[in-house]
Amino acid sequence: AVVSTQSTGTKPKKIPASSFNKEKVVEVIAGTTMAHALTNTGSLYVWGSGNSGQTGLLEARRIRNFATEKPKKLEALPKNREVKAITCSGDHVLLIMEAERE
């Protein structure tokens, strides 16, 4: 299970494994207002505030003060590449992806 404090202030909130579509979470990072989880299949799940695009979720662009308590799979990534590593600082995220597959 993953623990998040994103929407609950300083009180941790357990994120159930079912939130990640039966994929195994291998890495979690958290910025000031958002969190990202990388799975063993190279998928990336995000939650928290997306006011400035930190989550990478497309719907965050259309909704003022966007935030989600439940992890959402980031679908905006190229379909033919896996995320290999993630890191963040404050309000930005850096992804390292494998080379494009044919």
Side-chain angles (χ1 to χ4, degrees):
V2 176
V3 176
S4 172
T5 60
Q6 290 299 310
S7 298
T8 58
T10 58
K11 184 177 179 182
K13 177 182 176 185
K14 184 177 179 178
I15 307 285
S18 61
S19 297
F20 304 99
N21 297 322
K22 300 183 181 180
E23 296 178 54
K24 181 181 177 185
V25 173
V26 295
E27 187 175 357
V28 176
I29 61 166
T32 305
T33 61
M34 79 302 192
H36 292 65
L38 178 62
T39 69
N40 62 326
T41 64
S43 295
L44 192 62
Y45 288 80
V46 300
W47 64 99
S49 172
N51 292 338
S52 299
Q54 310 90 301
T55 62
L57 295 169
L58 296 177
E59 64 259 38
R61 295 179 186 177
R62 298 184 301 269
I63 302 171
R64 186 181 170 126
N65 297 323
F66 176 85
T68 178
E69 290 185 19
K70 295 181 180 180
K72 294 187 174 195
K73 188 173 184 177
L74 188 59
E75 301 288 352
L77 299 175
K79 302 293 183 212
N80 59 346
R81 300 169 102 185
E82 259 184 47
V83 177
K84 293 297 188 181
I86 54 176
T87 189
C88 74
S89 175
D91 291 327
H92 74 275
V93 177
L94 174 68
L95 307 177
I96 298 174
M97 302 180 79
E98 73 178 355
E100 189 170 341
R101 291 184 245 161
E102 298 194 22

